[in-house]
Amino acid sequence: MTNLQSLFIGHEHYLDQLADHWLAQGAQQLRVVSPNDEVLFAYPNHSIQNGTTPTLTNIHVSATQANKPLFVLHVDLLSPMIKDEVDAYCERLQYDANALLRMIRLENELEAMTVELVETQDQMLALYQLARSVRGELDLNTIIDVLVQEAIHILNVEAVCILLSTQHPMLILTHPHPMISDSALRKHFKEIRRTKREISGAQLQGSGGQAKNGIIVPLYAREKIVGCFGFFNRDDSFNAPSLKLARAIAEEASVQIEKSLLYQNTLSQARMRAELDVAANIQTQLLPQTIPDVENVDLYAASIQAKQVGGDFYDFTYKEGIPLTISVGDVAGKGMSAALLMAMTRTVLRTWIKTLATNQAAPVLAMVNDDLYDDYTQVNSFTTVFVGRYLPESGILRYANAGHSPVIHYTPEVGATLMKAEDMPLGILPDIAFTDQEIKLQSGDILVVATDGFSEATDPDDNMFGYDQLEKAIEKHAHEPAQVIARTLFDTVDMFSAGTEQSDDMTLLVLKIL
Amino acid sequence: MEQTILHKDGIAILRLAGRFDAFEADTVKAKLTDAIESSSRVIVDLTQVNFMDSSALAVLVQGMKHCRQNNGDLYLSNLQDTVRTIFELTRLDKAIQIYDTTDEALNAFKA
């Protein structure tokens, strides 16, 4: 069948109607003839001696498309006519030829539109199917697996690939086999990110693979290009509807990937928070749960952790053969590294307090520094520590202070005074010559060892609490038991800060001689 | 906070300004590392620094260790009273040399 014949398929009824009309007017035959004189249709379809019967007058007109004759319409009229009559018939026939052509063309267009509509509907259905198959799925790898498999079917391509830059290392997935090299894909992705445009056609040439046709479309998450989706070797190459569909698939993929990334983010944040909670719990549990019962000594300690895990600690040791030993420390920095160093420092300190055969404090600090100097250096931190060893029989407190403040000594006669540190913190130098100090504590004396979270607590105007206010508060409540003094100091700082969030832990140890 | 690096006679001078705390520690650390890479003899000029917390001290201590590993040192100059107090109370003044002026620190390096 020729192209011309196929043009009329399904529209024969128009030809029938036209022929009936002319035959009723007295015409003997109507024919549709190709430009090279081949008769395609004849009404009636019996042989007439074409133009040989002298009584017949043949008129014919061309139906043209884009200035070229498409077909010629012939009518054989009975009896001879004058020229005016022939002209009038020709004019009518020309009108009919044009109308026939227009009708056929419109119908064909309508048909094409219907096909496109059906195709669009199919595509929408396919996209719906795609959305459905990944609905409820949150795992990124599963989502991507489903996307690539479905995309192959929906778009009728030989292979697809996805690149995602949100993952480390960059995620590249090809299905069922690579069409361009990974390095080429990375290069295309860079280009897409720079130009914010898809890559297709000639741009894909020289990509080091077997891509005959294809398109690579950007993938967006939170309005940023985070990857790209490539579709390769479509059976009928990429026409306008299939390009549209490829973009629609990429858009759906973007939505699904963004959803999964958001979920991952939330999940990892929750995990991190849970880990920090665990660390904070461990830290709290590392602090002594009971306070040693020592004759004539009223002892109390408490610690309030800031929002982030910090590095404050306090400890007591009191057992046979060992003086009542108190320690308060503050590891520089925050977060997990500070928390871990705090736990290590506390353990090593405790071990040396128990095992070193001395009543002095300085040798203990020297051993701890020796053990932990490299670790402190490794994580760029240091620790201030106060270690005090009290012998109830003599009332002597021996202490060594590695850069720790504030330590306040209150006596009923003199009031509160700041006991300044003699030595630098642990972890500053590999060898530190710590020195032992000695004071005699008497009834009514109070020793308060706090961390700088106390003295550096700030009010809404960014003023610091400072040492003076701390000393005054101790003097004011010196007659109270250790626990009440400690609670009052916490309350005083709390009132001072007036709801301002504190960035540092606050730790306080109160030792009062009864 | 503001951070500028100058060089004088082969000695790097890092000038800091503002509040030096945990929030600034990472950026100062990076700048200090740059300074140390250019010269293992570094002076940190703290004229404009009005507050330092333990994270800030840790950055300077790390810088000091880093310089000494490379046979250099880190000196401090122009400390405001509040900042000097922090060094005195923690006795970090025993570990890090502190000078009243940058010129004095420069002379100490040259001596």
Side-chain angles (χ1 to χ4, degrees):
Chain A
M1 195 192 294
T2 64
N3 280 343
L4 194 54
Q5 271 174 317
S6 66
L7 181 72
F8 292 94
I9 288 176
H11 308 300
E12 293 87 350
H13 56 286
Y14 288 121
L15 287 173
D16 288 344
Q17 274 176 15
L18 192 64
D20 284 349
H21 178 73
W22 280 92
L23 294 179
Q25 297 284 312
Q28 295 302 295
Q29 193 172 42
L30 181 135
R31 292 182 301 279
V32 181
V33 180
S34 74
N36 49 9
D37 281 341
E38 189 191 344
V39 178
L40 303 172
F41 302 99
Y43 299 88
N45 193 14
H46 54 76
S47 170
I48 289 182
Q49 294 297 310
N50 193 16
T52 53
T53 313
T55 54
L56 292 181
T57 302
N58 171 263
I59 58 168
H60 55 270
V61 296
S62 294
T64 58
Q65 186 173 309
N67 287 330
K68 280 186 187 159
L70 194 63
F71 59 88
V72 186
L73 210 53
H74 286 256
V75 169
D76 291 330
L77 294 163
L78 203 58
S79 75
M81 280 170 279
I82 58 164
K83 189 177 177 296
D84 279 357
E85 268 182 307
V86 174
D87 284 351
Y89 277 119
C90 276
E91 204 180 319
R92 263 187 57 201
L93 189 62
Q94 185 67 61
Y95 175 83
D96 285 347
N98 291 345
L100 179 67
L101 184 61
R102 197 168 56 241
M103 202 72 85
I104 291 172
R105 212 185 282 148
L106 280 174
E107 279 220 355
N108 283 345
E109 272 174 28
L110 190 67
E111 206 171 301
M113 278 167 71
T114 312
V115 169
E116 200 179 318
L117 205 64
V118 169
E119 206 169 288
T120 308
Q121 200 192 352
D122 284 352
Q123 290 174 356
M124 284 180 69
L125 206 65
L127 275 177
Y128 171 70
Q129 205 70 33
L130 179 69
R132 236 170 77 121
S133 52
V134 286
R135 190 174 57 189
E137 188 55 65
L138 289 168
D139 177 60
L140 188 65
N141 290 324
T142 315
I143 288 175
I144 289 176
D145 275 350
V146 173
L147 286 172
V148 295
Q149 282 172 31
E150 295 282 331
I152 289 224
H153 296 301
I154 298 173
L155 211 51
N156 206 11
V157 288
E158 187 185 333
V160 294
C161 69
I162 279 187
L163 177 150
L164 259 191
S165 65
T166 53
Q167 309 306 103
H168 302 286
M170 207 182 257
L171 183 148
I172 293 180
L173 186 86
T174 49
H175 182 78
H177 48 254
M179 282 311 226
I180 60 173
S181 66
D182 283 3
S183 62
L185 184 61
R186 279 202 189 92
K187 214 176 80 200
H188 289 317
F189 172 62
K190 256 190 194 166
E191 188 65 12
I192 287 172
R193 196 138 66 166
R194 192 177 65 79
T195 59
K196 297 190 170 57
R197 284 177 187 198
E198 57 200 32
I199 284 180
S200 61
Q203 289 171 282
L204 283 176
Q205 301 307 315
S207 294
Q210 317 119 39
K212 290 195 277 286
N213 60 52
I215 178 168
I216 308 178
V217 192
L219 290 172
Y220 285 86
R222 290 187 174 178
E223 286 156 27
K224 278 191 186 140
I225 296 177
V226 295
C228 55
F229 205 152
F231 310 90
F232 302 102
N233 294 2
R234 189 169 190 271
D235 282 353
D236 308 328
S237 82
F238 281 90
N239 52 13
S242 59
L243 285 176
K244 251 192 230 168
L245 184 58
R247 287 176 202 128
I249 291 172
E251 214 167 291
E252 176 63 28
S254 289
V255 171
Q256 297 299 338
I257 288 167
E258 183 178 29
K259 182 183 76 179
S260 169
L261 290 175
L262 274 173
Y263 172 73
Q264 274 187 357
N265 209 4
T266 321
L267 197 70
S268 69
Q269 275 176 2
R271 258 190 216 139
M272 207 183 282
R273 216 176 302 125
E275 273 174 30
L276 283 177
D277 284 349
V278 169
N281 270 339
I282 290 173
Q283 277 200 308
T284 312
Q285 280 162 23
L286 279 180
L287 298 175
Q289 306 295 313
T290 55
I291 293 169
D293 189 10
V294 187
E295 203 181 337
N296 291 329
V297 173
D298 180 14
L299 198 55
Y300 185 78
S303 184
I304 293 181
Q305 277 164 4
K307 210 172 176 186
Q308 282 180 291
V309 181
D312 276 14
F313 66 89
Y314 64 83
D315 205 1
F316 319 108
T317 313
Y318 186 52
K319 55 187 263 188
E320 213 184 316
I322 296 174
L324 166 66
T325 305
I326 56 168
S327 52
V328 176
D330 183 359
V331 179
K334 290 183 180 62
M336 286 302 270
S337 59
L340 287 171
L341 270 183
M342 168 264 182
M344 279 162 64
T345 308
R346 178 193 165 276
T347 307
V348 174
L349 187 64
R350 206 179 163 77
T351 308
W352 285 118
I353 285 170
K354 282 184 179 166
T355 56
L356 212 58
T358 174
N359 284 344
Q360 293 189 325
V364 172
L365 289 182
M367 297 310 280
V368 179
N369 188 58
D370 193 45
D371 282 352
L372 295 181
Y373 175 79
D374 288 343
D375 296 317
Y376 286 126
T377 304
Q378 194 80 32
V379 295
N380 305 317
S381 183
F382 61 82
T383 295
T384 67
V385 191
F386 174 92
V387 173
R389 316 195 82 178
Y390 178 67
L391 294 157
E393 311 83 55
S394 60
I396 299 284
L397 177 84
R398 290 192 140 154
Y399 68 91
N401 187 344
H404 193 85
S405 74
V407 184
I408 293 165
H409 179 206
Y410 167 88
T411 65
E413 297 80 31
V414 183
T417 48
L418 191 67
M419 280 164 55
K420 288 185 181 170
E422 288 294 322
D423 301 310
M424 66 184 82
L426 303 178
I428 303 294
L429 296 177
D431 287 304
I432 305 172
F434 293 101
T435 48
D436 243 31
Q437 311 290 317
E438 198 177 288
I439 49 169
K440 193 165 163 52
L441 297 177
Q442 288 169 348
S443 176
D445 276 16
I446 300 166
L447 185 75
V448 175
V449 189
T451 54
D452 58 8
F454 255 94
S455 42
E456 288 172 7
T458 50
D459 69 5
D461 297 326
D462 225 18
N463 297 309
M464 282 201 283
F465 189 65
Y467 296 141
D468 288 350
Q469 295 200 60
L470 198 57
E471 287 173 354
K472 279 184 190 134
I474 293 167
E475 286 172 355
K476 197 173 159 192
H477 297 278
H479 59 283
E480 309 268 17
Q483 181 168 359
V484 178
I485 296 172
R487 288 275 158 81
T488 310
L489 292 178
F490 274 113
D491 289 347
T492 310
V493 170
D494 203 37
M495 272 171 59
F496 171 80
S497 57
T500 310
E501 195 180 309
Q502 300 303 314
S503 58
D504 209 353
D505 296 351
M506 289 197 287
T507 300
L508 190 68
L509 182 148
V510 179
L511 181 149
K512 185 175 180 180
I513 307 298
L514 299 172
Chain B
M1 68 189 299
E2 286 174 50
Q3 308 155 29
T4 45
I5 302 178
L6 318 167
H7 287 93
K8 212 168 182 182
D9 305 326
I11 295 158
I13 304 169
L14 174 62
R15 206 165 269 170
L16 303 176
R19 189 183 159 91
F20 185 6
D21 58 19
F23 298 105
E24 303 287 348
D26 280 347
T27 55
V28 177
K29 189 157 90 181
K31 201 80 178 174
L32 185 57
T33 307
D34 286 349
I36 296 169
E37 268 163 20
S38 66
S39 163
S40 64
R41 296 191 297 171
V42 177
I43 298 169
V44 181
D45 181 340
L46 297 170
T47 320
Q48 307 286 327
V49 174
N50 47 25
F51 176 79
M52 288 176 75
D53 69 0
S54 64
S55 301
L57 295 175
V59 169
L60 294 180
V61 167
Q62 182 198 1
M64 177 269 283
K65 287 182 182 176
H66 195 166
C67 287
R68 288 187 189 170
Q69 273 165 14
N70 294 305
N71 301 317
D73 209 341
L74 180 145
Y75 296 164
L76 303 177
S77 68
N78 294 316
L79 275 64
Q80 291 187 18
D81 285 348
T82 48
V83 173
R84 185 180 281 272
T85 306
I86 294 168
F87 278 89
E88 284 169 2
L89 286 174
T90 53
R91 299 319 313 257
L92 281 170
D93 57 350
K94 276 186 159 183
I96 301 179
Q97 291 289 326
I98 297 173
Y99 293 92
D100 287 343
T101 64
T102 302
D103 278 345
E104 278 179 42
L106 278 168
N107 288 334
F109 267 129
K110 287 187 229 162

